[in-house]
């Protein structure tokens, strides 16, 4: 990670100006004189930070705070660079700066991405390839953190084998974004200061103090409300960069005695090392609690070179840590994909001490080779520095190398999709294969749909977002509201409530609504089935369901569609969702019909990956129907109890009476262990239509 710092122009490794002023008259100097010098303790600080990140990820399974230290150091060094330019009255030349910076950063990124893609295709199941390719694009172009925000990724998930092998690029993406923004601020303030004869460092201090306060306040509030999303938010992290900038601007005016600096250094290192152990970063970062590791780093930087044999800088300046600091960027890049792919390949959810040591050793070897044969040669290559055009060409070549396999994969996906669309209905009948009188006409070489790579993307969605009168006032509903393209002249209106198990049925309900000119609005929140005021649900889910109930009451649709039962994984235990009877009664009292569908069987293992790895005919990938599906629907107990309720049961098209297969009619039934594929639900469309009209009493 810290090659971002190493790559700052005219700051090879950690060459910076010292932060001490000359000694006062008639007083013994307590620090070095002001001159340009190598700061090995900062290089050692980087090494310590990357060791924290790697060890916590691999052995402890927690976040260490090391990344926050990286962010601060990068801003510290960048500030020294631009203040030096201003002092020397040199042009800022932002375009040249950016070309120079990214020309040095990209080669190592490209090597790691290519290696990770190769390992992904070799060791990870095809169901994960699309996700990795999408995130590889985001990593290459520095927007991985924004992508993870939209995916609401749990960065603290204990099972790293299920994570993306390029997920760690989120921090590099934020740094890349700030490395575009910060120079613009430096340049704009420089123009203003020269025009109005203002003090440059003082002006910068005011600006970045404001950024620090505003960003930290925003980060604290955002973290308290939605920590998982705030973790990847750029603006929620700006205060860490601003703090690094303020350190570079303010420290030259401070003069600490040697004993004070010795103590500061040790306190800073101790605080850094203990951060991830003592703090519950899972619920606190990147809010104000992240001041712990960043202020610890400030203390180490402020301590500087103490010249004392008792100073922590003696350890940080050791040859081992300085050398490791030279390789720390590549070490950060390599450690995470090696960890994720090794765990996925071995079937483990965490690394032990022995396997973790092997992962670290391999990461160190690859980091050393990458630094020596890729990063360093490109950093020292003089040809691109002669002209901007040459630098741009070198960047374009790096991007082309990384983009070629990504584009090739996506083109193959396009061809597979086109081929699938041309397949005859006979090759992929899906649920039709379970209908009476069906004759198997699947050709010998027919592909099972969706393809393994496309399975993770095979989710049902409505055509657009909610607009106009249908747009909810509640922000949480706005972010989770879908709607088909039928306008206010619709003959019927339906609101779909619930989570992903309600969403999967949009693949059947959506086409039916389009054909009948019905308006469908879906208010869906993942992991939040519609059962209001459930004491066992989290507060966010209850708040969402409460807001959804109010939305329904305000719009009074003809029908509410929801999943009415909940199945247990690999068990026939199935029950009505919490508060089902009261929910139906409440909606009926408003004159709204409730259409409830029975939940699909769930499993305690990924039945699709089982079929992909062991074959669709493997007995291990098939479950006996009586083991996963209740003999009688829970709806039977409430049939006829309500004034206006309709019940749908499609489970006879998910199980054949004996077993519940993972593939039916040459179509994958499930995406994973409990969600139906869009392709299979679509194949049930004709039967879904018939049962809808029969249950609701609606007419065509």
């Amino acid at each position: 990670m810290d090659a971002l710092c190493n790559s700052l122009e005219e700051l090879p490794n950690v060459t910076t100006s010292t932060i001490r002023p000359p000694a006062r008259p008639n007083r013994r100097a307590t620090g070095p004189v002001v001159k340009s010098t190598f700061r090995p303790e900062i290089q050692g600080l980087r090494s310590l930070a990357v060791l924290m990140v790697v060890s916590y990820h691999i052995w402890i399974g927690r976040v260490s705070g090391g990344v926050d230290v990286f962010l601060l150091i990068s801003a510290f060094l960048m500030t020294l660079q631009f203040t030096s330019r201003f002092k020397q009255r040199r042009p800022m030349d932002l375009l040249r700066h950016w070309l120079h910076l990214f020309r040095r950063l990209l080669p190592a990124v490209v090597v790691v991405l290519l290696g990770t893609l190769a390992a992904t295709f070799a060791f990870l199941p095809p169901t994960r390839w699309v996700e990795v390719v999408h995130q590889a694009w985001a990593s290459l172009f520095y927007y991985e953190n924004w992508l993870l925000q939209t995916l609401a990724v749990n960065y603290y998930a204990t099972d790293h084998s299920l994570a993306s092998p390029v997920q760690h690029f989120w921090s590099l993406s934020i740094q890349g974004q700030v490395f575009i923004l910060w120079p613009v601020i430096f340049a704009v303030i420089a123009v203003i200061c020269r025009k109005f004869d203002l003090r440059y460092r003082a002006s910068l201090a005011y600006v970045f103090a404001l950024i620090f306060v505003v960003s930290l306040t925003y980060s604290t509030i955002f973290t308290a409300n939605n920590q998982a999303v705030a973790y990847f938010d750029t603006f929620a992290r700006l205060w860490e960069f601003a703090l690094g900038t303020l350190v570079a601007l303010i420290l030259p005016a401070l003069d600490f005695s040697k004993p004070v600096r010795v103590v500061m250094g040790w306190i800073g290192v101790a605080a850094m090392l203990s951060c991830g152990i003592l703090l519950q970063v899972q619920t606190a970062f990147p809010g104000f609690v992240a001041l712990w590791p960043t202020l610890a780093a400030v203390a180490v930087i402020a301590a500087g070179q103490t010249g004392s044999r008792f100073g922590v800088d003696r350890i940080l300046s050791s040859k081992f840590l300085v050398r490791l600091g030279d390789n720390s960027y590549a070490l950060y890049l390599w450690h995470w994909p090696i960890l994720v792919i090794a765990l996925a390949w071995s079937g483990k959810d965490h690394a032990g001490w022995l396997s973790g040591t092997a992962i670290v050793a391999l990461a160190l070897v690859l980091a050393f080779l990458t630094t020596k044969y890729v990063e360093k040669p490109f950093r020292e290559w003089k040809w691109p520095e002669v002209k901007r055009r040459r630098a741009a060409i070198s960047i374009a070549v790096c991007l082309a190398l990384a983009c070629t396999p990504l584009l090739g994969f996506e083109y193959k996906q396009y061809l597979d999709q086109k081929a699938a669309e041309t397949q005859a209905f006979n090759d992929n009948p899906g649920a039709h294969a379970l209908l009476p009188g069906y004759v198997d006409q699947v050709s010998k070489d027919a592909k099972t749909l969706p393809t393994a790579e496309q399975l993770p993307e095979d989710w049902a969605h409505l055509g657009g977002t909610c607009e106009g009168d249908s747009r909810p006032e509640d922000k949480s509903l706005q972010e989770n509201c879908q709607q088909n393209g039928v306008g206010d002249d619709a003959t019927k209106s339906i609101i779909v409530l619930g989570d992903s198990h309600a969403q999967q049925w949009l693949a059947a309900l959506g086409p039916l609504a389009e054909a009948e000119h019905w308006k469908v609005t879906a208010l869906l929140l993942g992991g939040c089935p519609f059962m209001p005021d459930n004491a066992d649900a989290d507060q966010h889910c209850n708040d969402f369901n409460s807001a959804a109930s109010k939305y329904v009451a305000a719009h009074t649709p003809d029908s509410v569609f929801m999943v009415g039962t909940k199945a247990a994984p690999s068990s026939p235990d199935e029950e009505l969702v919490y508060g089902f009877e009261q929910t139906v009664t409440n909606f009926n009292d408003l004159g709204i019909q409730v259409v409830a569908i029975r939940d699909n069987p769930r499993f305690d293992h990924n039945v699709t990956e089982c079929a992909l790895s062991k074959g669709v005919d493997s007995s291990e990938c098939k479950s006996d129907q009586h083991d996963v599906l209740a003999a009688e629907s829970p709806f039977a107990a409430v049939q006829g109890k309500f004034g206006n309720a309709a019940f749908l049961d499609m489970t006879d098209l998910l199980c054949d009476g004996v077993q519940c297969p993972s593939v039916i009619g040459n179509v994958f039934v499930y995406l994973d262990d409990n969600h139906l594929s869009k392709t299979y639900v679509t194949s049930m469309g004709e039967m879904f239509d018939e049962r809808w009209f029969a249950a609701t009493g609606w007419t065509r």
Side-chain angles (χ1 to χ4, degrees):
M1 178 183 297
D2 24 278
L4 284 171
C5 305
N6 282 344
S7 299
L8 288 173
E9 187 176 17
E10 296 173 343
L11 286 175
N13 294 319
V14 199
T15 300
T16 72
S17 297
T18 61
I19 57 178
R20 312 268 176 252
R24 299 172 186 171
N26 302 320
R27 177 180 172 181
R28 184 178 177 182
T30 58
V33 296
V34 177
K35 62 181 180 179
S36 180
T37 183
F38 179 65
R39 294 284 302 276
E41 80 281 0
I42 294 184
Q43 193 75 328
L45 183 63
R46 293 174 173 175
S47 299
L48 199 61
V50 77
L51 287 175
M52 289 169 58
V53 171
V54 172
S55 60
Y56 273 67
H57 275 166
I58 293 176
W59 286 303
I60 304 178
R62 296 181 65 173
V63 175
S64 64
V67 168
D68 306 85
V69 174
F70 284 129
L71 304 185
L72 181 139
I73 292 176
S74 63
F76 174 80
L77 296 178
M78 181 165 42
T79 304
L80 293 176
Q81 175 191 13
F82 278 93
T83 53
S84 175
R85 285 187 185 182
F86 183 86
K87 183 177 180 180
Q88 298 171 17
R89 304 194 68 82
R90 294 168 53 207
M92 296 296 179
D93 199 354
L94 298 187
L95 179 58
R96 180 175 177 270
H97 168 81
W98 289 325
L99 289 172
H100 175 92
L101 175 65
F102 289 104
R103 180 186 70 79
R104 295 185 174 193
L105 294 177
L106 281 173
V109 168
V110 170
V111 168
V112 172
L113 284 179
L114 291 177
T116 302
L117 286 172
T120 295
F121 296 144
F123 299 111
L124 295 187
T127 52
R128 297 183 61 182
W129 292 359
V130 170
E131 171 206 8
V132 175
V133 168
H134 286 175
Q135 293 197 31
W137 280 113
S139 300
L140 183 63
F141 290 99
Y142 294 92
Y143 65 91
E144 170 72 352
N145 63 309
W146 297 338
L147 177 59
L148 294 180
Q149 271 190 294
T150 63
L151 298 175
V153 168
N154 179 9
Y155 192 64
Y156 308 109
T158 55
D159 189 350
H160 291 324
S161 67
L162 300 178
S164 163
V166 294
Q167 181 174 300
H168 65 315
F169 273 87
W170 72 266
S171 61
L172 301 180
S173 296
I174 292 179
Q175 283 185 300
Q177 294 155 21
V178 171
F179 275 33
I180 295 293
L181 175 62
W182 249 230
V184 173
I185 298 176
F186 288 133
V188 170
I189 300 300
V191 171
I192 294 174
C193 288
R194 284 169 178 160
K195 183 175 181 179
F196 297 101
D197 195 24
L198 302 174
R199 290 186 299 168
Y200 187 53
R201 299 178 72 91
S203 300
L204 287 175
Y206 285 121
V207 171
F208 285 101
L210 178 62
I211 293 175
F212 174 82
V213 171
V214 174
S215 174
L216 180 57
T217 302
Y218 168 84
S219 180
T220 301
I221 297 173
F222 195 1
T223 300
N225 286 281
N226 195 340
Q227 189 273 340
V229 177
Y231 195 87
F232 303 108
D233 189 80
T234 302
F235 192 72
R237 293 278 182 176
L238 288 188
W239 69 266
E240 296 177 316
F241 293 93
L243 180 59
T245 293
L246 290 172
V247 171
L249 295 172
I250 296 173
L251 275 181
L254 304 178
D255 185 13
F256 300 110
S257 65
K258 180 185 292 187
V260 171
R261 290 192 283 124
V262 170
V263 173
M264 287 173 57
W266 280 109
I267 290 177
V269 168
M272 277 182 56
L273 294 176
S274 63
C275 173
I277 297 175
L278 299 179
L279 297 183
Q280 290 295 329
V281 297
Q282 286 86 337
T283 58
F285 276 35
F288 70 91
V289 181
L291 284 167
W292 182 310
T294 52
L295 290 180
V298 169
V300 177
I301 295 173
Q305 287 288 310
T306 65
S308 170
R309 61 176 178 170
F310 301 109
V312 74
D313 54 289
R314 289 194 63 189
I315 298 175
L316 295 178
S317 302
S318 64
K319 289 184 178 179
F320 170 75
L321 288 180
V322 171
R323 184 69 181 275
L324 182 61
D326 294 338
N327 295 272
S328 55
Y329 177 45
L331 178 57
Y332 180 83
L333 289 174
W334 277 116
H335 86 282
W336 183 259
I338 295 175
L339 171 64
V340 170
I341 291 171
L343 293 179
W345 176 73
S346 64
K348 299 178 179 179
D349 60 3
H350 67 279
W353 286 102
L354 182 60
S355 59
T357 301
I359 291 170
V360 172
L362 178 57
L364 284 169
V365 170
L366 291 177
F368 173 78
L369 295 175
T370 302
T371 301
K372 183 175 181 179
Y373 296 109
V374 178
E375 183 189 337
K376 186 176 179 181
F378 273 86
R379 187 169 65 241
E380 297 175 350
W381 189 20
K382 301 300 182 184
W383 180 82
E385 297 299 316
V386 177
K387 295 181 179 180
R388 295 175 182 171
R389 180 176 59 187
R390 292 185 179 183
I393 291 174
S394 64
I395 290 175
V397 170
C398 285
L399 292 176
L401 287 173
C403 290
T404 297
L406 297 176
L407 289 171
F409 176 83
E410 294 195 339
Y411 183 63
K412 180 182 180 300
Q413 293 298 295
Y414 170 78
L415 294 179
D416 287 347
Q417 184 65 31
K418 287 296 182 183
E421 291 175 357
T422 60
Q423 284 184 234
F425 169 79
N426 290 341
D427 282 346
N428 301 101
H432 289 270
L434 296 183
L435 296 180
Y438 169 75
V439 178
D440 187 353
Q441 296 180 330
V442 177
S443 59
K444 182 179 180 180
D445 299 323
K447 289 185 177 181
T448 304
L449 297 182
T451 62
E453 301 94 317
Q454 294 164 347
L455 262 170
E457 306 292 310
D458 201 43
W459 277 98
H461 297 279
L462 295 179
T465 57
C466 299
E467 303 293 342
D469 293 339
S470 299
R471 182 176 176 82
E473 294 183 3
D474 186 278
K475 185 176 180 181
S476 179
L477 294 184
Q478 290 177 12
E479 296 171 349
N480 296 277
C481 189
Q482 303 177 36
Q483 195 169 16
N484 63 358
V486 180
D488 293 332
D489 60 339
T491 58
K492 296 279 188 180
S493 63
I494 303 169
I495 294 181
V496 181
L497 302 175
D499 59 1
S500 54
H501 277 251
Q503 178 179 344
Q504 62 192 6
W505 293 105
L506 295 179
L509 178 58
L512 171 61
E514 292 286 345
E516 299 296 327
H517 203 68
W518 300 339
K519 181 178 179 180
V520 178
T521 302
L523 303 176
L524 304 168
L525 180 62
C528 181
F530 187 75
M531 38 187 178
D533 301 320
N534 183 3
D536 294 330
D538 64 61
Q539 190 59 44
H540 179 55
C541 179
N542 279 333
D543 290 345
F544 183 88
N545 283 331
S546 176
S549 296
K550 293 177 182 177
Y551 180 93
V552 173
H555 289 77
T556 57
D558 295 284
S559 176
V560 163
F561 177 81
M562 59 180 287
V563 177
T565 70
K566 184 174 182 179
S570 296
S571 168
D573 295 336
E574 182 183 1
E575 58 186 8
L576 294 171
V577 296
Y578 176 87
F580 178 76
E581 294 186 45
Q582 187 62 51
T583 297
V584 177
T585 300
N586 291 342
F587 285 139
N588 282 177
D589 289 344
L590 295 172
I592 301 170
Q593 181 186 46
V594 174
V595 180
I597 193 166
R598 186 182 182 184
D599 197 12
N600 56 269
R602 306 186 187 206
F603 305 88
D604 57 10
H605 63 285
N606 191 317
V607 293
T608 300
E609 288 193 359
C610 180
L612 288 170
S613 60
K614 300 180 180 180
V616 296
D617 295 324
S618 172
S619 59
E620 297 180 41
C621 304
K622 296 180 180 180
S623 298
D624 290 338
Q625 180 171 319
H626 62 78
D627 288 336
V628 296
L629 184 67
E632 184 178 55
S633 170
F635 287 148
V638 293
Q639 197 83 33
K641 289 186 65 174
F642 309 105
N644 196 3
F647 302 98
L648 299 179
D649 188 344
M650 308 295 293
T651 55
D652 61 310
L653 297 176
L654 301 174
C655 303
D656 59 14
V658 178
Q659 293 179 319
C660 298
S662 56
V663 175
I664 297 176
N666 205 27
V667 174
F668 284 108
V669 180
Y670 291 88
L671 297 173
D672 44 38
D673 58 355
N674 71 101
H675 294 104
L676 302 175
S677 72
K678 173 186 174 181
T679 304
Y680 191 78
V681 174
T682 300
S683 76
M684 289 193 281
E686 183 179 332
M687 292 72 81
F688 181 90
D689 296 357
E690 294 176 357
R691 297 181 190 187
W692 178 281
F693 287 110
T696 62
W698 294 10
T699 57
R700 293 182 180 272

